[in-house]
Amino acid sequence: MSVASAAGDIDLALTLECGQVFHWRREGGGWLGVIGDRAVFVEQKGAKLSLPRGAEDLVRHYFALDHPLAEICASFPDDPAMQAAAEFCRGMRIVRQPAWECIATFITSSMKQVAHIAQISHTLRRRYGKRVDWDGGEIFSYPSPEALARLNEGELRACALGYRAKNLLGSARMIAEGRLDLEAVARLDDDAAREELCRLPGVGPKVANCALLFGFERLRSFPIDVWIERALREIYFPRKRRVTTARLQDFAAGYFGSYGGYAQQYLFHHARKTWRTGKLEVDS
């Protein structure tokens, strides 16, 4: 049985297709996924979300319906590229992912396109996750660090992970053995948390910043991947050839401010969807 809940300002499809989370799949007129260990089917009907009875608080929390989206978007820099991205991504929210699931997913995302990341996520879930029944069918939660730590590298390579298998296995074992405590990381400030996360195999500044943004709700965090680096260089440093990634990171921290993570995701999705002949379209 489902109930209707006020959706607030959210575009559900845009939120789930923008490259921040990778396991939700279209099912009929809505979306099926797992939040923690619970299967959830969510459908947007205008300003309402249809969702399982008893899951209202879980869904509102996961989709961050309490984030002040109007205030967030109003904080964005008033330049043409950022405003075009804000309009293109209207209703996109940063979801609150479980920290381990987020870290592991972005470890497996290195040099992969969104469809490939989703495929790997579903394979890992089917083989090593916890089965969750849903409406006569089944879906799977993301495997815990302990579940993955019991495997060997070959078993993970068989999930199309390639060289990422070693990193995922090493990170799972560090966490399962208590050599890195995610609850302790959550209590650290951004810089200290990033430094701690970078101790994990396969986690550098980009993956750590993704984990901080999507898994620890550090909304200032500004991950810089290939798309964002190209966008920043073309939009904000068009005539400068030698701009380091560190310089871009410093610029982003100051320019985009306390909601830089939202600005980053809007720029990322806009760039990924509208890039034409090497240029960003800013008049969308």
Side-chain angles (χ1 to χ4, degrees), residues 150-246:
R150 291 192 291 268
L151 305 177
N152 60 51
E153 186 177 333
E155 289 171 307
L156 288 177
R157 281 184 174 269
C159 298
L161 281 169
Y163 70 87
R164 304 160 197 83
K166 182 177 181 180
N167 292 332
L168 182 61
L169 182 59
S171 292
R173 287 178 175 173
M174 278 188 68
I175 293 170
E177 295 166 6
R179 289 181 283 137
L180 189 141
D181 184 343
L182 295 182
E183 292 183 2
V185 171
R187 295 191 292 269
L188 299 173
D189 65 36
D190 289 0
D191 290 340
R194 185 181 302 107
E195 183 177 351
E196 187 70 0
L197 290 171
C198 284
R199 292 175 51 219
L200 292 169
V203 176
K206 182 259 181 178
V207 171
N209 280 325
C210 285
L212 287 176
L213 175 59
F214 303 120
F216 292 89
E217 202 178 359
R218 306 299 176 89
L219 300 184
R220 179 182 287 275
S221 184
F222 195 99
I224 295 182
D225 72 343
V226 173
W227 281 108
I228 287 296
E229 182 164 342
R230 290 174 66 187
L232 292 179
R233 289 181 186 279
E234 181 167 311
I235 297 166
Y236 301 108
F237 299 91
R239 299 176 187 85
K240 296 183 179 180
R241 295 183 179 180
R242 296 182 180 180
V243 181
T244 65
T245 301

Side-chain angles (χ1 to χ4, degrees), residues 100-116:
W100 163 245
E101 178 183 324
C102 180
I103 293 166
T105 300
F106 280 99
I107 287 174
T108 67
S109 74
S110 176
M111 304 300 292
K112 287 285 187 181
Q113 295 182 353
V114 170
H116 297 149

